[in-house]
Amino acid sequence: MKQEYFILQKTAIELGDMIRNKEITSVSLTNMFLERLQLAQYGLNAVSEITAETALTQASLMDKEVQQGQFRGPLHGVPYGAKDLLSTVGIPTRWGSPAHADQVIDTDATVITRLRDAGAVLIGKLAMVELAGGGSYSSASASLHGPGRNPWSLTQWAGGSSSGSGAAMAASAVGFAIGTETWGSITVPAAFCGVSGLRPTYGRVSRNGAMALCWTLDKVGPMARSAQDCGVILEAIAGPDPQDSTAATIPFQFIPSTIDGRQLKIGVLQHDYANAQIVQDKFKDALSALGSFGHTFADAVYPEGFPYNELTGLIVNAEGSASFQSFILSDKIKLLADKGQQAGLLTGLNISAADYISAQRLRSQAVKTLNTLWDQFDLLIAPTLLTEAISAEIPFMEQSNPWGGNGGPGNLAGWPCISVPMGFGANNLPLGLEIIGPNWSENTILCLAAQYQKLTEWHRMLPPFPVASD
Amino acid sequence: MENEPVDPRVKILCTDHIFQNDNEMQELISAMLKNQDQLIKIIRDCNLTDGIGDPITHLSFEEGQ
């Protein structure tokens, strides 16, 4: 097996270990990933900006520190990419939007600063759906960079809105990536691209410097090779931030032994698998694997009586249109790639304050009811989606894949979750396993996912694109 | 077939806007207003009680660990 392929299968933690043990330098690793990121830029539409010069300067500094016996932590010297809605001094932050192609925001997002302090090396800004899909988009082409292509099959979509984060991670063009989720934007690309993506609890990670789509739903989280990677990345980026009053005041520490010796009671969310037999089979295999640790499973359903998805939809539309009001009322809205999105953003301005407040009021009651599930279960589990990656070429409405999805209630409630690879579907494209927990339960979620990844190798599998060079 | 009357809200939304003479966009906006009306109706039908001072969790911040 080629040496490069061997390295590309590594988790971020393992790459950090190699740097610390002087088996590889951060500079050589950064050069290797930069080469692959260039392939991902043109082959996958996964990149907004490559930051080679600053990356190599940072990598050189990290190597110097290693030589001096200094080590900042598990991400020391590990190259990564950030979704292009996190601002970076001196580097364009385009929000995936043709209307913002020349935008440079003169501040570093808190997440960017924290990762630099942790020793990680930013090698690029990763492509995304324009404005993170605000106004709702109709096809994969809703991006400044074109449709986000899936490295497992270039005709298929990488998912959105963190398209580039999912695709670049799957293609081993970065050691790890940062994505964001308002409603599905981490879990969907994680499932489609076959990577591990953690949506943290609302408020766990500062959003200072992140584009606001929906103040009461936006979350920033890691996308990586393994669940354990997600844990150490979350530890680096989480915690209080004077620049963001919604950031939790309690720091997060990843504790890999959180569920050692514990037998969890896990609720299995119910789906109609009539047109998703392979997904059901793979899901049963996953439950069987987790059952070997002594965890028990029982059927779970979201409590009736609340229109969870409609509430989430109205709140996202109202806040998204408020966030971009000046832009929507300007001529620049015409520059967006997706006409449906242009119309949706303008339409959102017509939601009355009374209806928005009513939705938030009802949300509070809905969340209280949703949280009663935690009286019965430690965690919930389900396939992330009932479909493999859908086409990048055909408008979404013209595709009939059964979607499934568990995101509306969880995002409404601020719950954390992870999507990890659980095998492949009929078209040999990745499927995702989603583990959901109550607020602030990231350690439990991450450790259950890590147990699953101890027994499986799905997260180590690499797509055919790009081919490792000789 | 008789054309549906134009939703007057489309005209209001598009007054002095770049879409004011764009029929295709106005049709899209009209369709989206209908979808949005449905969302709003579903939420209004949930019968929140008038004038009750229940806390609205997500307009403030609630923390735990």
Side-chain angles (χ1 to χ4, degrees):
Chain A
M1 186 179 285
K2 294 169 188 165
Q3 173 71 4
E4 184 180 316
Y5 191 86
F6 171 74
I7 290 171
L8 296 171
Q9 278 187 312
K10 297 275 183 196
T11 66
I13 294 172
E14 290 163 349
L15 293 174
D17 284 345
M18 289 178 74
I19 292 168
R20 184 178 55 187
N21 297 331
K22 300 179 186 170
E23 294 168 41
I24 195 166
T25 64
S26 177
V27 167
S28 58
L29 202 56
T30 298
N31 275 320
M32 183 189 295
F33 280 117
L34 281 169
E35 190 182 317
R36 295 178 68 83
L37 201 58
Q38 281 170 357
L39 296 174
Q41 183 167 29
Y42 299 107
L44 301 173
N45 300 329
V47 182
S48 175
E49 188 80 14
I50 293 178
T51 56
E53 197 178 320
T54 53
L56 288 167
T57 303
Q58 167 83 353
S60 180
L61 176 64
M62 292 304 99
D63 285 338
K64 198 174 169 187
E65 288 186 3
V66 169
Q67 290 303 323
Q68 292 168 345
Q70 296 173 33
F71 195 66
R72 300 186 186 205
L75 301 176
H76 187 118
V78 179
Y80 82 100
K83 185 175 182 179
D84 197 25
L85 60 57
L86 293 162
S87 63
T88 42
V89 173
I91 303 165
T93 301
R94 301 185 170 102
W95 298 343
S97 157
H100 299 84
D102 300 323
Q103 176 174 261
V104 180
I105 300 172
D106 198 21
T107 180
D108 281 329
T110 295
V111 166
I112 299 290
T113 305
R114 288 194 172 155
L115 286 170
R116 188 189 305 122
D117 291 346
V121 176
L122 177 69
I123 62 170
K125 305 287 290 290
L126 302 176
M128 55 183 279
V129 173
E130 55 190 2
L131 307 182
S136 116
Y137 52 109
S138 58
S139 76
S141 298
S143 174
L144 167 64
H145 306 287
R149 298 196 180 278
N150 193 311
W152 290 93
S153 170
L154 299 183
T155 60
Q156 305 304 108
W157 188 35
S161 65
S162 306
S163 318
S165 302
M169 185 60 236
S172 299
V174 291
F176 68 91
I178 299 295
T180 67
E181 170 152 337
T182 304
W183 184 358
S185 288
I186 288 175
T187 53
V188 172
F192 279 1
C193 293
V195 304
S196 305
L198 176 74
R199 178 186 81 211
T201 306
Y202 174 80
R204 179 65 92 184
V205 179
S206 168
R207 298 168 301 169
N208 174 52
M211 186 203 87
L213 170 59
C214 182
W215 289 272
T216 69
L217 282 157
D218 294 342
K219 283 86 59 182
V220 183
M223 301 175 76
R225 179 78 56 222
S226 73
Q228 291 219 349
D229 278 359
C230 290
V232 301
I233 298 161
L234 182 65
E235 184 171 313
I237 63 177
D241 180 9
Q243 309 276 12
D244 180 358
S245 62
T246 65
T249 56
I250 304 165
F252 171 78
Q253 186 188 3
F254 176 48
I255 303 170
S257 60
T258 297
I259 61 169
D260 286 1
R262 280 180 66 194
Q263 294 172 340
L264 302 177
K265 186 157 187 193
I266 301 171
V268 180
L269 290 169
Q270 301 299 293
H271 283 293
D272 177 1
Y273 293 100
N275 295 308
Q277 190 59 51
I278 290 183
V279 180
Q280 185 177 31
D281 293 344
K282 297 291 179 186
F283 182 54
K284 280 181 181 170
D285 290 346
L287 296 188
S288 174
L290 288 169
S292 69
F293 289 94
H295 306 305
T296 57
F297 302 93
D299 290 352
V301 287
Y302 290 127
E304 289 181 7
F306 292 97
Y308 302 111
N309 288 342
E310 288 82 357
L311 280 171
T312 312
L314 192 79
I315 290 166
V316 174
N317 289 352
E319 293 193 35
S321 291
S323 181
F324 291 104
Q325 186 164 17
S326 297
F327 169 72
I328 293 165
L329 296 174
S330 76
D331 293 357
K332 284 188 173 177
I333 192 172
K334 266 288 202 192
L335 297 174
L336 291 181
D338 192 296
K339 288 195 172 190
Q341 208 170 340
Q342 296 174 25
L345 284 165
L346 185 60
T347 305
L349 292 180
N350 206 57
I351 298 169
S352 73
D355 284 318
Y356 170 72
I357 296 285
S358 291
Q360 289 287 11
R361 231 184 119 189
L362 195 60
R363 176 188 190 179
S364 297
Q365 297 178 13
V367 169
K368 200 173 170 184
T369 305
L370 280 168
N371 280 331
T372 61
L373 277 167
W374 307 124
D375 298 336
Q376 304 169 61
F377 303 109
D378 296 304
L379 298 172
L380 298 172
I381 198 164
T384 309
L385 298 166
L386 297 184
T387 179
E388 299 163 80
I390 60 174
S391 170
E393 319 290 351
I394 303 169
F396 300 147
M397 290 293 281
E398 294 172 25
Q399 301 190 54
S400 57
N401 304 50
W403 190 259
N406 318 289
N411 277 295
L412 199 66
W415 293 342
C417 75
I418 194 167
S419 177
V420 293
M422 69 161 189
F424 295 85
N427 301 308
N428 283 322
L429 299 174
L431 299 170
L433 173 70
E434 185 166 337
I435 301 166
I436 307 164
N439 287 348
W440 318 108
S441 68
E442 282 91 338
N443 265 316
T444 310
I445 290 169
L446 288 162
C447 290
L448 186 74
Q451 283 185 340
Y452 177 65
Q453 292 184 333
K454 269 184 197 162
L455 296 183
T456 59
E457 288 290 318
W458 306 121
H459 61 296
R460 295 274 186 186
M461 295 193 175
L462 301 184
F465 178 92
V467 177
S469 59
D470 289 321
Chain B
M1 198 171 77
E2 200 175 321
N3 286 338
E4 276 190 48
V6 177
D7 187 330
R9 294 173 300 174
V10 175
K11 202 161 189 179
I12 293 165
L13 273 170
C14 295
T15 299
D16 295 329
H17 194 275
I18 194 166
F19 299 149
Q20 71 177 344
N21 296 315
D22 188 331
N23 289 337
E24 185 193 355
M25 287 306 297
Q26 292 191 13
E27 278 176 28
L28 265 174
I29 292 162
S30 180
M32 289 195 166
L33 279 168
K34 276 186 192 162
N35 289 341
Q36 195 164 276
D37 289 345
Q38 293 212 332
L39 289 185
I40 290 168
K41 183 178 184 312
I42 288 166
I43 290 164
R44 286 182 183 173
D45 285 351
C46 287
N47 291 325
L48 286 161
T49 310
D50 285 351
I52 302 297
D54 47 356
I56 302 180
T57 314
H58 276 79
L59 293 185
S60 62
F61 181 64
E62 187 177 32
E63 189 178 315
Q65 177 75 317

